[in-house]
Amino acid sequence: MSDANFRRFTETPYNSPMSVLGIGVDLVECVRIRRSIDRFGDRFLRRVFTDGEIEYSMSMKFPERHLAARFAGKEAVAKAFGTGIGKAMGWRNIDIRKKGNGEPFLVFSGPAQELAAKRGVTSALITLSHTEHHAMASVVLESTTAQP
């Protein structure tokens, strides 16, 4: 992804009027992710998460908490687009990464990137949080173009 695309989704252009295209929120029980890992192992991980998401989460003391937050983030993105996961975009088309300061950001690929371009998304903001038992994510998609 070029630097222009990276900035496109990680920095809100505050000098431009913004229009909210969609908001999505999701809450996941961490034990649900733990059970999926125990039951399906790598098959589950590779179907849902990108290599970077797996590498980061598995390096943490409680990987299921970080994976659950990313799972919630992917669901929140799909809700913000109003599409769900499946026909419009796949799990791995939504990549949740971290800046050097720890702030999460989104990178879309394939159908998710195409949908973002079609809808005029200029900013995709995400926040993640987790506790021992739950993980949540909130996503806001914005555009500088007026929406009908």
Side-chain angles (χ1 to χ4, degrees):
M1 175 173 272
S2 73
D3 286 346
N5 285 336
F6 172 78
R7 283 192 305 277
R8 181 173 166 211
F9 292 119
T10 60
E11 298 174 8
T12 302
Y14 291 106
N15 58 348
S16 303
M18 298 300 288
S19 175
V20 174
L21 297 176
I23 299 171
V25 176
D26 197 58
L27 179 69
V28 175
E29 291 182 79
C30 296
V31 70
R32 179 176 163 213
I33 300 302
R34 174 82 269 156
R35 287 180 185 144
S36 293
I37 295 168
D38 291 345
R39 184 170 178 193
F40 302 108
D42 273 355
R43 196 171 100 210
F44 166 72
L45 292 174
R46 302 266 174 231
R47 180 172 171 257
V48 175
F49 302 101
T50 65
D51 292 345
E53 291 169 330
I54 295 168
E55 182 180 339
Y56 167 76
S57 298
M58 296 309 251
S59 74
M60 305 307 284
K61 185 174 181 180
F62 301 103
E64 66 275 6
R65 296 178 190 176
H66 299 273
L67 290 166
R70 279 148 184 79
F71 188 95
K74 292 167 186 276
E75 287 280 3
V77 166
K79 290 174 181 178
F81 275 116
T83 62
I85 299 288
K87 186 177 180 182
M89 68 186 77
W91 293 106
R92 292 173 52 95
N93 296 132
I94 304 163
D95 188 6
I96 301 168
R97 300 180 186 177
K98 286 178 64 171
K99 294 181 182 178
N101 65 2
E103 177 186 353
F105 68 96
L106 291 162
V107 176
F108 300 140
S109 64
Q113 185 177 15
E114 292 166 15
L115 184 58
K118 180 179 174 184
R119 301 255 180 106
V121 173
T122 54
S123 176
L125 307 172
I126 185 168
T127 186
L128 306 172
S129 187
H130 61 78
T131 66
E132 181 179 349
H133 301 288
H134 296 92
M136 65 79 53
S138 179
V139 170
V140 176
L141 300 178
E142 297 177 311
S143 174
T144 55
T145 57
Q147 299 298 311

PDB file of all heavy atoms in Angstrom, residues 10-32:
ATOM      1  N   THR A  10      -5.694   6.852   7.847  1.00  0.00           N
ATOM      2  CA  THR A  10      -5.223   6.994   9.218  1.00  0.00           C
ATOM      3  C   THR A  10      -5.214   8.430   9.713  1.00  0.00           C
ATOM      4  O   THR A  10      -5.018   8.659  10.886  1.00  0.00           O
ATOM      5  CB  THR A  10      -3.801   6.424   9.377  1.00  0.00           C
ATOM      6  OG1 THR A  10      -2.919   7.138   8.514  1.00  0.00           O
ATOM      7  CG2 THR A  10      -3.777   4.941   9.075  1.00  0.00           C
ATOM      8  N   GLU A  11      -5.403   9.377   8.840  1.00  0.00           N
ATOM      9  CA  GLU A  11      -5.395  10.777   9.249  1.00  0.00           C
ATOM     10  C   GLU A  11      -6.646  11.465   8.728  1.00  0.00           C
ATOM     11  O   GLU A  11      -6.896  11.497   7.539  1.00  0.00           O
ATOM     12  CB  GLU A  11      -4.157  11.485   8.692  1.00  0.00           C
ATOM     13  CG  GLU A  11      -2.851  10.903   9.202  1.00  0.00           C
ATOM     14  CD  GLU A  11      -1.640  11.526   8.521  1.00  0.00           C
ATOM     15  OE1 GLU A  11      -1.806  12.497   7.767  1.00  0.00           O
ATOM     16  OE2 GLU A  11      -0.548  11.013   8.749  1.00  0.00           O
ATOM     17  N   THR A  12      -7.445  11.997   9.649  1.00  0.00           N
ATOM     18  CA  THR A  12      -8.647  12.720   9.252  1.00  0.00           C
ATOM     19  C   THR A  12      -8.237  14.089   8.742  1.00  0.00           C
ATOM     20  O   THR A  12      -7.556  14.831   9.440  1.00  0.00           O
ATOM     21  CB  THR A  12      -9.606  12.882  10.445  1.00  0.00           C
ATOM     22  OG1 THR A  12      -9.917  11.583  10.933  1.00  0.00           O
ATOM     23  CG2 THR A  12     -10.869  13.600  10.043  1.00  0.00           C
ATOM     24  N   PRO A  13      -8.637  14.455   7.529  1.00  0.00           N
ATOM     25  CA  PRO A  13      -8.309  15.786   7.006  1.00  0.00           C
ATOM     26  C   PRO A  13      -9.207  16.835   7.651  1.00  0.00           C
ATOM     27  O   PRO A  13     -10.286  17.120   7.175  1.00  0.00           O
ATOM     28  CB  PRO A  13      -8.557  15.651   5.500  1.00  0.00           C
ATOM     29  CG  PRO A  13      -9.495  14.498   5.367  1.00  0.00           C
ATOM     30  CD  PRO A  13      -9.297  13.617   6.557  1.00  0.00           C
ATOM     31  N   TYR A  14      -8.757  17.386   8.784  1.00  0.00           N
ATOM     32  CA  TYR A  14      -9.593  18.286   9.572  1.00  0.00           C
ATOM     33  C   TYR A  14      -9.927  19.597   8.862  1.00  0.00           C
ATOM     34  O   TYR A  14     -10.861  20.268   9.239  1.00  0.00           O
ATOM     35  CB  TYR A  14      -8.926  18.590  10.917  1.00  0.00           C
ATOM     36  CG  TYR A  14      -8.901  17.381  11.803  1.00  0.00           C
ATOM     37  CD1 TYR A  14      -7.725  16.675  12.017  1.00  0.00           C
ATOM     38  CD2 TYR A  14     -10.061  16.916  12.410  1.00  0.00           C
ATOM     39  CE1 TYR A  14      -7.706  15.561  12.820  1.00  0.00           C
ATOM     40  CE2 TYR A  14     -10.051  15.798  13.216  1.00  0.00           C
ATOM     41  CZ  TYR A  14      -8.871  15.131  13.420  1.00  0.00           C
ATOM     42  OH  TYR A  14      -8.856  14.022  14.208  1.00  0.00           O
ATOM     43  N   ASN A  15      -9.183  19.938   7.835  1.00  0.00           N
ATOM     44  CA  ASN A  15      -9.472  21.176   7.119  1.00  0.00           C
ATOM     45  C   ASN A  15     -10.549  20.985   6.045  1.00  0.00           C
ATOM     46  O   ASN A  15     -10.866  21.898   5.316  1.00  0.00           O
ATOM     47  CB  ASN A  15      -8.192  21.742   6.494  1.00  0.00           C
ATOM     48  CG  ASN A  15      -7.548  20.755   5.535  1.00  0.00           C
ATOM     49  OD1 ASN A  15      -7.911  19.593   5.503  1.00  0.00           O
ATOM     50  ND2 ASN A  15      -6.583  21.224   4.773  1.00  0.00           N
ATOM     51  N   SER A  16     -11.110  19.771   5.973  1.00  0.00           N
ATOM     52  CA  SER A  16     -12.145  19.469   4.987  1.00  0.00           C
ATOM     53  C   SER A  16     -13.447  19.129   5.706  1.00  0.00           C
ATOM     54  O   SER A  16     -13.424  18.494   6.750  1.00  0.00           O
ATOM     55  CB  SER A  16     -11.741  18.260   4.142  1.00  0.00           C
ATOM     56  OG  SER A  16     -10.511  18.470   3.518  1.00  0.00           O
ATOM     57  N   PRO A  17     -14.582  19.527   5.129  1.00  0.00           N
ATOM     58  CA  PRO A  17     -15.847  19.097   5.726  1.00  0.00           C
ATOM     59  C   PRO A  17     -15.984  17.584   5.590  1.00  0.00           C
ATOM     60  O   PRO A  17     -15.675  17.019   4.547  1.00  0.00           O
ATOM     61  CB  PRO A  17     -16.905  19.834   4.903  1.00  0.00           C
ATOM     62  CG  PRO A  17     -16.222  20.242   3.643  1.00  0.00           C
ATOM     63  CD  PRO A  17     -14.762  20.334   3.931  1.00  0.00           C
ATOM     64  N   MET A  18     -16.412  16.937   6.654  1.00  0.00           N
ATOM     65  CA  MET A  18     -16.505  15.481   6.661  1.00  0.00           C
ATOM     66  C   MET A  18     -17.961  15.040   6.737  1.00  0.00           C
ATOM     67  O   MET A  18     -18.793  15.708   7.335  1.00  0.00           O
ATOM     68  CB  MET A  18     -15.755  14.894   7.858  1.00  0.00           C
ATOM     69  CG  MET A  18     -14.255  15.184   7.861  1.00  0.00           C
ATOM     70  SD  MET A  18     -13.382  14.542   6.437  1.00  0.00           S
ATOM     71  CE  MET A  18     -13.419  12.807   6.779  1.00  0.00           C
ATOM     72  N   SER A  19     -18.229  13.919   6.136  1.00  0.00           N
ATOM     73  CA  SER A  19     -19.542  13.293   6.187  1.00  0.00           C
ATOM     74  C   SER A  19     -19.354  11.875   6.716  1.00  0.00           C
ATOM     75  O   SER A  19     -18.514  11.136   6.211  1.00  0.00           O
ATOM     76  CB  SER A  19     -20.140  13.261   4.779  1.00  0.00           C
ATOM     77  OG  SER A  19     -21.351  12.559   4.770  1.00  0.00           O
ATOM     78  N   VAL A  20     -20.094  11.507   7.755  1.00  0.00           N
ATOM     79  CA  VAL A  20     -20.003  10.149   8.286  1.00  0.00           C
ATOM     80  C   VAL A  20     -20.785   9.220   7.365  1.00  0.00           C
ATOM     81  O   VAL A  20     -21.972   9.419   7.117  1.00  0.00           O
ATOM     82  CB  VAL A  20     -20.544  10.073   9.732  1.00  0.00           C
ATOM     83  CG1 VAL A  20     -20.587   8.630  10.207  1.00  0.00           C
ATOM     84  CG2 VAL A  20     -19.686  10.906  10.671  1.00  0.00           C
ATOM     85  N   LEU A  21     -20.094   8.213   6.852  1.00  0.00           N
ATOM     86  CA  LEU A  21     -20.713   7.224   5.963  1.00  0.00           C
ATOM     87  C   LEU A  21     -21.293   6.057   6.742  1.00  0.00           C
ATOM     88  O   LEU A  21     -22.260   5.448   6.315  1.00  0.00           O
ATOM     89  CB  LEU A  21     -19.683   6.688   4.976  1.00  0.00           C
ATOM     90  CG  LEU A  21     -19.065   7.684   4.005  1.00  0.00           C
ATOM     91  CD1 LEU A  21     -17.992   6.996   3.181  1.00  0.00           C
ATOM     92  CD2 LEU A  21     -20.123   8.260   3.115  1.00  0.00           C
ATOM     93  N   GLY A  22     -20.666   5.725   7.857  1.00  0.00           N
ATOM     94  CA  GLY A  22     -21.137   4.593   8.637  1.00  0.00           C
ATOM     95  C   GLY A  22     -20.425   4.478   9.960  1.00  0.00           C
ATOM     96  O   GLY A  22     -19.293   4.926  10.108  1.00  0.00           O
ATOM     97  N   ILE A  23     -21.124   3.887  10.919  1.00  0.00           N
ATOM     98  CA  ILE A  23     -20.574   3.621  12.249  1.00  0.00           C
ATOM     99  C   ILE A  23     -20.850   2.165  12.558  1.00  0.00           C
ATOM    100  O   ILE A  23     -21.956   1.667  12.312  1.00  0.00           O
ATOM    101  CB  ILE A  23     -21.239   4.513  13.321  1.00  0.00           C
ATOM    102  CG1 ILE A  23     -20.993   5.988  13.009  1.00  0.00           C
ATOM    103  CG2 ILE A  23     -20.728   4.160  14.713  1.00  0.00           C
ATOM    104  CD1 ILE A  23     -21.791   6.932  13.890  1.00  0.00           C
ATOM    105  N   GLY A  24     -19.865   1.482  13.100  1.00  0.00           N
ATOM    106  CA  GLY A  24     -20.042   0.085  13.485  1.00  0.00           C
ATOM    107  C   GLY A  24     -19.421  -0.180  14.837  1.00  0.00           C
ATOM    108  O   GLY A  24     -18.374   0.371  15.171  1.00  0.00           O
ATOM    109  N   VAL A  25     -20.090  -1.017  15.624  1.00  0.00           N
ATOM    110  CA  VAL A  25     -19.608  -1.407  16.947  1.00  0.00           C
ATOM    111  C   VAL A  25     -19.812  -2.911  17.087  1.00  0.00           C
ATOM    112  O   VAL A  25     -20.799  -3.454  16.591  1.00  0.00           O
ATOM    113  CB  VAL A  25     -20.397  -0.675  18.064  1.00  0.00           C
ATOM    114  CG1 VAL A  25     -19.964  -1.145  19.439  1.00  0.00           C
ATOM    115  CG2 VAL A  25     -20.234   0.820  17.943  1.00  0.00           C
ATOM    116  N   ASP A  26     -18.885  -3.584  17.760  1.00  0.00           N
ATOM    117  CA  ASP A  26     -19.066  -5.003  18.018  1.00  0.00           C
ATOM    118  C   ASP A  26     -18.409  -5.364  19.346  1.00  0.00           C
ATOM    119  O   ASP A  26     -17.426  -4.751  19.760  1.00  0.00           O
ATOM    120  CB  ASP A  26     -18.467  -5.853  16.899  1.00  0.00           C
ATOM    121  CG  ASP A  26     -18.992  -7.277  16.929  1.00  0.00           C
ATOM    122  OD1 ASP A  26     -20.225  -7.451  16.841  1.00  0.00           O
ATOM    123  OD2 ASP A  26     -18.184  -8.209  17.061  1.00  0.00           O
ATOM    124  N   LEU A  27     -18.984  -6.371  19.998  1.00  0.00           N
ATOM    125  CA  LEU A  27     -18.513  -6.876  21.285  1.00  0.00           C
ATOM    126  C   LEU A  27     -18.361  -8.388  21.159  1.00  0.00           C
ATOM    127  O   LEU A  27     -19.261  -9.061  20.640  1.00  0.00           O
ATOM    128  CB  LEU A  27     -19.530  -6.538  22.387  1.00  0.00           C
ATOM    129  CG  LEU A  27     -19.215  -7.010  23.795  1.00  0.00           C
ATOM    130  CD1 LEU A  27     -18.025  -6.235  24.366  1.00  0.00           C
ATOM    131  CD2 LEU A  27     -20.446  -6.822  24.675  1.00  0.00           C
ATOM    132  N   VAL A  28     -17.223  -8.916  21.609  1.00  0.00           N
ATOM    133  CA  VAL A  28     -16.930 -10.346  21.486  1.00  0.00           C
ATOM    134  C   VAL A  28     -16.483 -10.884  22.839  1.00  0.00           C
ATOM    135  O   VAL A  28     -15.715 -10.224  23.544  1.00  0.00           O
ATOM    136  CB  VAL A  28     -15.797 -10.579  20.444  1.00  0.00           C
ATOM    137  CG1 VAL A  28     -15.376 -12.026  20.387  1.00  0.00           C
ATOM    138  CG2 VAL A  28     -16.218 -10.090  19.075  1.00  0.00           C
ATOM    139  N   GLU A  29     -16.930 -12.073  23.171  1.00  0.00           N
ATOM    140  CA  GLU A  29     -16.438 -12.754  24.362  1.00  0.00           C
ATOM    141  C   GLU A  29     -15.094 -13.399  24.014  1.00  0.00           C
ATOM    142  O   GLU A  29     -14.995 -14.151  23.037  1.00  0.00           O
ATOM    143  CB  GLU A  29     -17.419 -13.818  24.826  1.00  0.00           C
ATOM    144  CG  GLU A  29     -18.715 -13.252  25.371  1.00  0.00           C
ATOM    145  CD  GLU A  29     -19.634 -14.351  25.853  1.00  0.00           C
ATOM    146  OE1 GLU A  29     -19.401 -14.861  26.960  1.00  0.00           O
ATOM    147  OE2 GLU A  29     -20.571 -14.676  25.103  1.00  0.00           O
ATOM    148  N   CYS A  30     -14.071 -13.129  24.807  1.00  0.00           N
ATOM    149  CA  CYS A  30     -12.732 -13.655  24.526  1.00  0.00           C
ATOM    150  C   CYS A  30     -12.713 -15.181  24.534  1.00  0.00           C
ATOM    151  O   CYS A  30     -12.006 -15.797  23.734  1.00  0.00           O
ATOM    152  CB  CYS A  30     -11.735 -13.097  25.532  1.00  0.00           C
ATOM    153  SG  CYS A  30     -11.533 -11.296  25.440  1.00  0.00           S
ATOM    154  N   VAL A  31     -13.517 -15.802  25.379  1.00  0.00           N
ATOM    155  CA  VAL A  31     -13.550 -17.263  25.451  1.00  0.00           C
ATOM    156  C   VAL A  31     -14.043 -17.871  24.136  1.00  0.00           C
ATOM    157  O   VAL A  31     -13.646 -18.986  23.764  1.00  0.00           O
ATOM    158  CB  VAL A  31     -14.387 -17.750  26.660  1.00  0.00           C
ATOM    159  CG1 VAL A  31     -15.872 -17.475  26.466  1.00  0.00           C
ATOM    160  CG2 VAL A  31     -14.135 -19.226  26.935  1.00  0.00           C
ATOM    161  N   ARG A  32     -14.878 -17.153  23.416  1.00  0.00           N
ATOM    162  CA  ARG A  32     -15.354 -17.645  22.112  1.00  0.00           C
ATOM    163  C   ARG A  32     -14.190 -17.811  21.141  1.00  0.00           C
ATOM    164  O   ARG A  32     -14.112 -18.799  20.398  1.00  0.00           O
ATOM    165  CB  ARG A  32     -16.381 -16.659  21.557  1.00  0.00           C
ATOM    166  CG  ARG A  32     -16.930 -17.025  20.220  1.00  0.00           C
ATOM    167  CD  ARG A  32     -18.001 -16.039  19.793  1.00  0.00           C
ATOM    168  NE  ARG A  32     -18.230 -16.147  18.370  1.00  0.00           N
ATOM    169  CZ  ARG A  32     -18.570 -15.142  17.587  1.00  0.00           C
ATOM    170  NH1 ARG A  32     -18.745 -13.939  18.085  1.00  0.00           N
ATOM    171  NH2 ARG A  32     -18.759 -15.325  16.305  1.00  0.00           N
TER     172      ARG A  32
END
